[in-house]
Amino acid sequence: MEASKVIHAIYNDDDILMSAVKRVKAERYHIEEIYTPFPVHGLDRAMGLAPTRIAITAFIYGLIGLTVATVMMNFIMIEDWPQNIGGKPSFSYLENMPAFVPIMFELTVFFSAHLMVITFYLRSRMWPFKSAENPDPRTTDDHFLMEIAVNGNEEALSSMLKDTGAVEINLVDKAH
């Protein structure tokens, strides 16, 4: 296992963290990760993260749900077991489609929602029974932690982080 050094800069206010992130990025340091107790609006943009493509996957999952609903209802209600329910003949799928719209909507939402949750967990690498990777338990309560890679510039980086308002700065060996 190769170990590398990182600096953990701890902040106690989200506004101070945002200005610190902007300064760190302006100084061309690489921020490995930021741990926050709640979502901070604009943090992803300030870190320079690419926009998420999760909406595209939601649309694709919805289309899969719509397809499953259409194929399922056509097979069940038209081909396999046609029934005359309430005087509505089941000669073709298109004749009965208005009655099927609620089922189509519900399965579209069902597939989109459930597959999005599974995608989120897989993309975030949050497997069942996986231990937490949080480097400091205070980040679940009221502190913010910025993790920055150190490449022989520890003194300059620590000094700059102190100027940004960090309440605590720690040098840590991080295993890959």
Side-chain angles (χ1 to χ4, degrees), residues 39-99:
V40 178
H41 179 69
L43 186 60
D44 52 344
R45 197 171 23 258
M47 287 180 64
L49 298 177
T52 180
R53 295 183 302 265
I54 203 84
I56 297 168
T57 60
F59 180 73
I60 291 169
Y61 295 153
L63 288 178
I64 292 170
L66 182 63
T67 303
V68 166
T70 304
V71 169
M72 178 189 74
M73 289 181 301
N74 184 56
F75 178 74
I76 293 171
M77 298 299 291
I78 306 301
E79 294 175 17
D80 187 44
W81 195 271
Q83 298 178 46
N84 188 339
I85 300 172
K88 296 177 186 169
S90 52
F91 298 130
S92 73
Y93 182 82
L94 288 177
E95 287 177 325
N96 292 309
M97 197 170 75

